[in-house]
Amino acid sequence: MIIMSVDLGKARTGIAVCDKTEFLASPYKVIFEKSPQILIKKVCEAVKETNAELIVVGLPKNMDGTEGESAQNARHFAEQISSLTGIKSVMQDERGTTITAHNFLNNTNTRGKKRKNIVDGVAATIILQDFLDARKLHIQK
């Protein structure tokens, strides 16, 4: 199944997809958009472009596991995307993914404007890979 993930941001939103075998998540694109209405339209277009069959949206929980305004916004966003595309969306805890993305970019010595432009795509990839890994563990039990 082709699964697409979304790392929702206020100015940049990362998109990642996996292959049909659900083995590997890869960055797809970063959408630079501040308008929520236009962002929803662009994410729906990405769903169609990738032929996604499931959408994973990063859930920005607080470090203590509680959910604040950002988490509520992400849930609302996921509901809107599902409603408009007819494709199920699920939430994936994204705590620490941006830090991990920055660590990956440190290891590849990616700096400056290039780093700023791709970190959200890397974070979306981490969200999706975490989802895929958890899914495999659940299936194997």
Side-chain angles (χ1 to χ4, degrees):
M1 169 185 310
I2 296 175
I3 304 171
M4 186 181 97
S5 68
V6 180
D7 178 36
L8 188 59
K10 291 181 179 165
R12 291 179 310 277
T13 296
I15 306 289
V17 294
C18 72
D19 60 305
K20 271 219 177 265
T21 66
E22 299 179 22
F23 179 72
L24 185 64
S26 302
Y28 180 66
K29 68 164 67 174
V30 175
I31 299 170
F32 299 87
E33 185 56 61
K34 291 183 181 180
S35 165
Q37 295 81 12
I38 296 172
L39 176 62
I40 287 170
K41 181 180 176 197
K42 289 182 177 184
V43 171
C44 287
E45 289 170 3
V47 169
K48 289 177 187 170
E49 291 167 2
T50 61
N51 296 313
E53 301 165 79
L54 179 67
I55 304 162
V56 177
V57 178
L59 182 63
K61 289 185 176 183
N62 298 320
M63 291 312 282
D64 65 0
T66 60
E67 294 184 15
E69 185 179 343
S70 292
Q72 292 171 357
N73 290 340
R75 287 187 184 281
H76 179 68
F77 178 84
E79 289 169 7
Q80 288 181 299
I81 294 299
S82 288
S83 176
L84 291 169
T85 62
I87 295 173
K88 180 181 175 182
S89 65
V90 296
M91 305 306 293
Q92 172 70 30
D93 187 349
E94 68 170 40
R95 283 180 284 182
T97 56
T98 300
I99 293 167
T100 303
H102 280 289
N103 288 337
F104 285 152
L105 295 173
N106 285 343
N107 290 339
T108 61
N109 202 27
T110 305
R111 305 270 183 235
K113 189 174 181 178
K114 182 177 181 184
R115 179 187 188 110
K116 189 175 182 178
N117 289 340
I118 65 170
V119 69
D120 299 290
V122 174
T125 304
I126 295 166
I127 291 167
L128 182 53
Q129 194 64 54
D130 287 350
F131 175 82
L132 295 173
D133 293 346
R135 187 170 160 107
K136 284 179 202 161
L137 285 175
H138 181 71
I139 290 171
Q140 291 174 354
K141 287 183 180 181

